[in-house]
Amino acid sequence: MEDQEILAKFADPAARNVAFNQLVRKYQSKIYWHVRKMVIDHADADDLTQDVFVKVWNHLGNFRQDASLYTWIYRIATNECLNFLSSKRRKFFLPLNDVAAELTQKVEADPGLAGDEIELRLQKAILRLPDKQRLVFNMKYYDEITYEQMADITGTSVGALKASYHHAVKKIEQYVNEESHHD
C-alpha cells in the first residue's frame, strides 16, 4: 500500500487502526534493523522500535509531508537511537570506549549478528566510531540511503555527511588493517 493511501486512511478516525497496522507492517522490519545496527542488543532494539511506532502513532496526525513518510519515521528512529546511547552513557558514566566494548561483546555473542570473520571485524570497527559517524556509515553502507535523504533525516548538510562518511571509512580501514596485523 502506498504511503498516501495509508495517510488518507489514518486521517479517517474509523480507519485509523487499520492504517496504522499497515504502516507498521510496511516499515517495522527496516526500522528494527536500523535500530539494531546502532544499539546491537535485540531486546533494546525491540523496545526502541516499539517506542518509535508509539511516537509515530502520537504524531502522525501532525506529519506535514515535507519529507517521505519513511524518511520521517527513520528520523524518529535515529533520534531514539542517539538518545538511548547517550542516556546509557550518562546513566552508567561510561566513556565511549566502554560502550563500544559492551556492544562488541554483544556482537560476538549473537550468532545472528556475528556472521563470518570479515563481517565480525567490520562490526567491531563500526562500533568504535562515534555515534553520529556510525549512524552515517550504517545509513550509507547498509541501508543505501542517499546523502540528500540523510540530510533530511539528520538535519545535517550533505557536505558534512560526506565528510563524516569519509572519516568513518578511514577509521574502519585503519582498525581492520591493525586487526589483520595482529593475527
Side-chain angles (χ1 to χ4, degrees), residues 27 67-76 149-150 152-153:
Y27 292 116
S68 76
L69 186 57
Y70 177 64
T71 300
W72 181 73
I73 296 169
Y74 204 98
R75 182 184 314 142
I76 293 170
Q149 289 172 306
M150 276 190 238
D152 285 343
I153 291 165

Side-chain angles (χ1 to χ4, degrees), residues 116-132:
D116 61 19
E117 184 61 32
I118 293 166
E119 182 64 22
L120 182 60
R121 272 194 191 157
L122 176 61
Q123 285 300 319
K124 286 180 178 180
I126 293 168
L127 289 172
R128 296 175 70 127
L129 297 172
D131 292 345
K132 294 229 167 101

Side-chain angles (χ1 to χ4, degrees), residues 25-85:
R25 271 199 302 279
K26 184 172 181 179
Y27 292 116
Q28 186 173 29
S29 179
K30 282 181 174 178
I31 295 300
Y32 169 82
W33 284 107
H34 166 58
V35 170
R36 178 88 186 254
K37 283 190 292 274
M38 287 301 290
V39 302
I40 305 305
D41 185 73
H42 164 70
D44 291 340
D46 215 31
D47 290 347
L48 285 170
T49 300
Q50 284 184 6
D51 293 347
V52 167
F53 284 104
V54 166
K55 285 194 172 172
V56 168
W57 169 265
N58 289 334
H59 300 285
L60 192 57
N62 303 329
F63 176 59
R64 293 186 312 276
Q65 300 184 39
D66 51 357
S68 76
L69 186 57
Y70 177 64
T71 300
W72 181 73
I73 296 169
Y74 204 98
R75 182 184 314 142
I76 293 170
T78 297
N79 290 335
E80 288 293 305
C81 290
L82 294 174
N83 291 340
F84 172 82
L85 291 168

